[in-house]
Amino acid sequence: MSLPQNGLSHLPMIDGQIVTIERFLLDSQPQYAKGDLTAILYDMALAGKIISAQTRRAGLLDVLGLAGKVNVQGESQQKLDLLADDIIVRLMDHTGRLAGMVTEERKEFIRIPEKYKKGSYILVYDPLDGSSNIDTNISIGTIFGIYRVLDDDTPGIIEDCLQPGQSLVAAGYILYGTSTILVYSAGNGVHSFTLEPSLGEFLLSQENIRFSDKPVFYSYNHARGRDWDKGMHQYANWLRDEHTPKLSYRYIGSMVADFHRNLTHGGVFCYPATPEKPKGKIRLLYEAAPLAFLAEQAGGYGSDGSRSLLDIVPTDIHQRTPVFIGNRYLVEKAEEFLNAHK
Ligand code: FDP
């Protein structure tokens, strides 16, 4: 990103140009495309703006704290989770571009109401990842993935969502941090946009993001260490004691924020399996697979400890998976340690 000198220094620019997300998406669209995917991505940017505005005001509005309900994972839902979920459904169900949706916050596959046209895409999303951090003003984010339906002629069905991450046509996240950033890939590199709050516009801030080949960070919940198997212990020791140059340990506990930091500076995020949680904690469809898609597009890799996260064919829309994601060689090293102690 170049630094302009002419009083526009608050605006992100690429080679002196101000590029809005709309312009970038339209320019990136293949000539044969109908524009539906572009429109879904643009709608997700709009959802991000609305959710961002709500999260910024969360301390003022009555949206902090528990909503008094429990979601399908048996976790307490925060009011802001429900609000973010509602915003996305209300923005997306009537556009004629989707055939269905899956969200962390609803048990069932969301069908498109019959009164609306059915589209050719499926949206899977976690409206607010890291939501246990909401009350403490720590970065949280929306993660999403987009699939094509298996059959254009049938109404959207659950099987449309049970596709491996290899079939994603696009994925991304919106991170509500010190600024609001949208990061996405439609299979042609990873690009980021920063929300300029006074304009309400996402402006291109970085094109073709790649993991640094000199990673800096590793991230996992160290407190879960007592439950790890030998392979994970040895991997953690290797990260701490043997990697050169020395890495730094950082864990926010908001995967999307941990991922973003590691994408920006290089590193690895892990949420391994434990006897208590043999499948780990992270959800495959709307958390792990979209981030693994972005990781691969940025030259990194996402694994469940023995295979690519993108190769796993989901059997349940809310299934969980162990996650190792970040710089390819750091993730492959995790596979090596875990497999040696199976
Ligand atoms: P959260 O429960 O707050 O939504 O997948 C959910 C997730 O957060 C990740 O974002 C985060 O990395 C992880 O869970 C935190 O779990 P631990 O508290 O067990 O570390």
Side-chain angles (χ1 to χ4, degrees):
M1 184 167 49
S2 57
L3 277 181
Q5 304 294 318
N6 51 3
L8 298 175
S9 57
H10 61 294
L11 296 180
M13 293 193 196
I14 299 288
D15 299 331
Q17 292 182 329
I18 301 169
V19 183
T20 64
I21 193 165
E22 182 184 20
R23 166 88 192 282
F24 188 88
L25 289 171
L26 287 171
D27 285 353
S28 310
Q29 186 179 300
Q31 276 191 336
Y32 59 81
K34 270 190 353 198
D36 282 0
L37 180 61
T38 299
I40 296 168
L41 290 167
Y42 193 63
D43 285 344
M44 280 312 295
L46 178 56
K49 285 186 215 174
I50 301 174
I51 298 168
S52 175
Q54 296 295 328
T55 53
R56 297 274 171 259
R57 269 180 263 153
L60 302 171
L61 300 173
D62 183 29
V63 290
L64 283 182
L66 301 180
K69 292 186 188 169
V70 167
N71 69 7
V72 282
Q73 324 295 340
E75 297 158 347
S76 300
Q77 283 177 299
Q78 306 275 336
K79 288 181 193 172
L80 212 51
D81 297 45
L82 299 181
L83 197 64
D85 186 54
D86 199 39
I87 288 166
I88 294 175
V89 172
R90 283 172 195 268
L91 260 175
M92 295 290 184
D93 71 351
H94 57 279
T95 60
R97 296 174 189 119
L98 292 179
M101 288 178 264
V102 167
T103 156
E104 181 186 12
E105 302 303 333
R106 302 186 195 207
K107 190 166 185 248
E108 309 292 343
F109 169 66
I110 304 174
R111 288 171 210 290
I112 299 301
E114 273 177 18
K115 60 184 171 181
Y116 303 127
K117 189 174 152 256
K118 189 211 98 166
S120 303
Y121 292 95
I122 295 289
L123 176 69
V124 296
Y125 65 94
D126 178 357
L128 273 186
D129 176 59
S131 53
S132 55
N133 287 314
I134 290 174
D135 281 6
T136 47
N137 211 15
I138 288 169
S139 299
I140 47 180
T142 302
I143 306 175
F144 63 92
I146 301 168
Y147 289 92
R148 264 202 80 90
V149 285
L150 297 171
D151 181 352
D152 262 326
D153 296 328
T154 55
I157 47 173
I158 200 159
E159 283 70 21
D160 288 319
C161 310
L162 300 177
Q163 301 190 54
Q166 297 288 7
S167 305
L168 278 162
V169 291
Y173 57 84
I174 303 139
L175 181 64
Y176 314 104
T178 45
S179 51
T180 295
I181 290 186
L182 185 149
V183 177
Y184 94 99
S185 175
N188 205 0
V190 179
H191 317 292
S192 77
F193 301 80
T194 304
L195 182 64
E196 210 297 314
S198 63
L199 302 175
E201 276 286 1
F202 276 107
L203 301 176
L204 181 62
S205 40
Q206 205 180 341
E207 254 183 296
N208 292 316
I209 303 172
R210 309 283 297 172
F211 278 97
S212 159
D213 55 9
K214 294 189 181 63
V216 182
F217 297 115
Y218 64 95
S219 335
Y220 46 73
N221 189 340
H222 189 72
R224 309 268 179 252
R226 68 176 75 177
D227 302 323
W228 292 341
D229 62 16
K230 198 168 172 198
M232 183 59 205
H233 271 294
Q234 293 204 342
Y235 178 54
N237 290 344
W238 177 83
L239 287 167
R240 189 191 59 205
D241 301 333
E242 290 182 47
H243 188 278
T244 42
K246 283 180 188 166
L247 297 171
S248 222
Y249 172 74
R250 294 278 192 288
Y251 185 71
I252 299 170
S254 189
M255 181 170 68
V256 62
D258 279 307
F259 178 86
H260 184 73
R261 187 202 49 246
N262 294 345
L263 175 65
T264 308
H265 297 288
V268 63
F269 169 91
C270 316
Y271 206 110
T274 59
E276 203 186 30
K277 292 180 180 159
K279 295 196 165 162
K281 179 182 184 195
I282 308 299
R283 273 65 84 174
L284 173 64
L285 196 59
Y286 39 78
E287 295 181 321
L291 294 187
F293 179 83
L294 291 167
E296 292 217 353
Q297 284 291 318
Y301 176 44
S303 167
D304 71 350
S306 61
R307 63 187 158 159
S308 168
L309 288 165
L310 299 181
D311 286 340
I312 305 175
V313 183
T315 50
D316 181 309
I317 55 176
H318 294 296
Q319 91 188 48
R320 298 172 192 268
T321 178
V323 166
F324 301 83
I325 195 164
N327 278 75
R328 179 168 281 277
Y329 84 91
L330 291 178
V331 176
E332 285 176 349
K333 200 75 186 170
E335 288 181 334
E336 212 178 289
F337 277 106
L338 296 181
N339 289 330
H341 294 282
K342 260 191 174 159

